Amino acid sequence: MSFEELKDRVYRANLALVEAGLVVLTWGNASGVDRQAAVMAIKPSGIPYNILKPHDIVVLSLESGQVVDGKHRPSSDTPTHLHLYRSFQSIGGVVHTHSLAATSFAQARRDIPCFGTTHADNFHGSIPVTAEMTPEEIRTDYELNTGKVIVDCFTRRNINPDNVPGVLVASHAPFAWGATLEKAVENAIVLEFSAQMALNSLALTPTLGPISQSLLDKHFLRKHGPAAYYGQK
């Protein structure tokens, strides 16, 4: 089976993160899934973006996690990506960055509140921060447990991952996802931009609260869901 199209899309998504200013050095990765073929493709570990090629992308079995195509070791974050695909069945792409503002919120272990409509257009509420990982979770299967604390955060707080397609891993950095790989990249960009605006808003008004539920609903639902009317059919 050929995975060239999937590998090319993942390659382009990783380069898009660099172009958007979301990653420096090798700090970040993007992956995409082909659910019909039951595989995930992801950036190889530690290879600089400026020499990355489509044939470097690694393809793994979604079920076993074993490499099925590619000569490199996959990203060290692979177990996190796999767990998200297995847990959030509607997603088609996952992006992890260490973008500056979003990572600042993650390190502060704070949600990114929804202070305005730009945030609300893409995230139906605050972008949550996970619980801190325990010493045992860090020592054993760290990357897998990173995925588990993300899923636990959404389960515990009753958040729909389709409506809030991103998260902050406490003391670490953001992850974002989407129905497609390209949408996951877009959501990662918006997540960082929302974090920057939130930091600026808090600097101006430290006691600022979130926007009203009615304004949040209006802006999110006009773009998402069965009653959406934004854009062209």
Side-chain angles (χ1 to χ4, degrees):
M1 179 179 292
S2 174
F3 305 109
E4 298 312 306
E5 181 181 353
L6 178 62
K7 291 167 71 172
D8 186 66
R9 289 177 62 216
V10 171
Y11 163 75
R12 293 179 184 277
N14 277 280
L15 294 191
L17 300 181
V18 179
E19 293 170 3
L22 298 187
V23 300
V24 297
L25 302 177
T26 60
W27 303 348
N29 44 68
S31 70
V33 69
D34 181 336
R35 293 197 180 272
Q36 186 172 359
V39 296
M40 178 193 84
I42 194 167
K43 179 182 178 289
S45 180
I47 291 186
Y49 288 90
N50 64 339
I51 64 170
L52 184 68
K53 302 297 180 186
H55 61 75
D56 294 320
I57 301 300
V58 185
V59 182
L60 306 99
S61 164
L62 198 56
E63 180 179 358
S64 69
Q66 296 299 308
V67 173
V68 297
D69 187 83
K71 61 182 180 181
H72 299 297
R73 284 192 305 166
S75 166
S76 58
D77 294 310
T78 292
T80 308
H81 289 244
L82 284 169
H83 190 73
L84 293 177
Y85 287 123
R86 292 164 181 164
S87 301
F88 299 157
Q89 292 290 317
S90 61
I91 67 174
V94 174
V95 169
H96 173 47
T97 76
H98 288 256
S99 58
L100 187 60
T103 299
S104 298
F105 272 95
Q107 291 183 169
R109 298 185 291 281
R110 290 187 57 176
D111 290 3
I112 303 173
C114 183
F115 289 135
T117 60
T118 309
H119 178 134
D121 281 339
N122 298 275
F123 296 89
H124 197 204
S126 297
I127 299 166
V129 65
T130 68
E132 293 187 68
M133 295 176 70
T134 67
E136 181 65 17
E137 288 172 330
I138 294 168
R139 279 196 302 267
T140 60
D141 295 322
Y142 171 67
E143 290 81 9
L144 173 59
N145 288 329
T146 298
K148 289 182 176 180
V149 298
I150 293 171
V151 173
D152 176 71
C153 173
F154 278 71
T155 301
R156 178 169 39 85
R157 296 177 59 172
N158 194 30
I159 301 171
N160 184 338
D162 294 334
N163 292 343
V164 182
V167 70
L168 309 173
V169 177
S171 304
H172 185 179
F175 283 80
W177 48 82
T180 65
L181 173 56
E182 294 73 20
K183 190 63 178 178
V185 172
E186 179 181 322
N187 288 335
I189 292 170
V190 176
L191 192 158
E192 172 60 17
F193 196 66
S194 297
Q196 292 175 15
M197 290 187 296
L199 286 174
N200 291 341
S201 299
L202 288 170
L204 291 166
T205 309
T207 58
L208 183 65
I211 64 173
S212 68
Q213 187 67 43
S214 58
L215 189 56
L216 170 64
D217 290 345
K218 180 64 176 180
H219 269 263
F220 184 81
L221 295 174
R222 72 177 187 161
K223 278 192 165 186
H224 308 272
Y229 61 87
Y230 178 89
Q232 303 302 311
K233 291 184 179 179

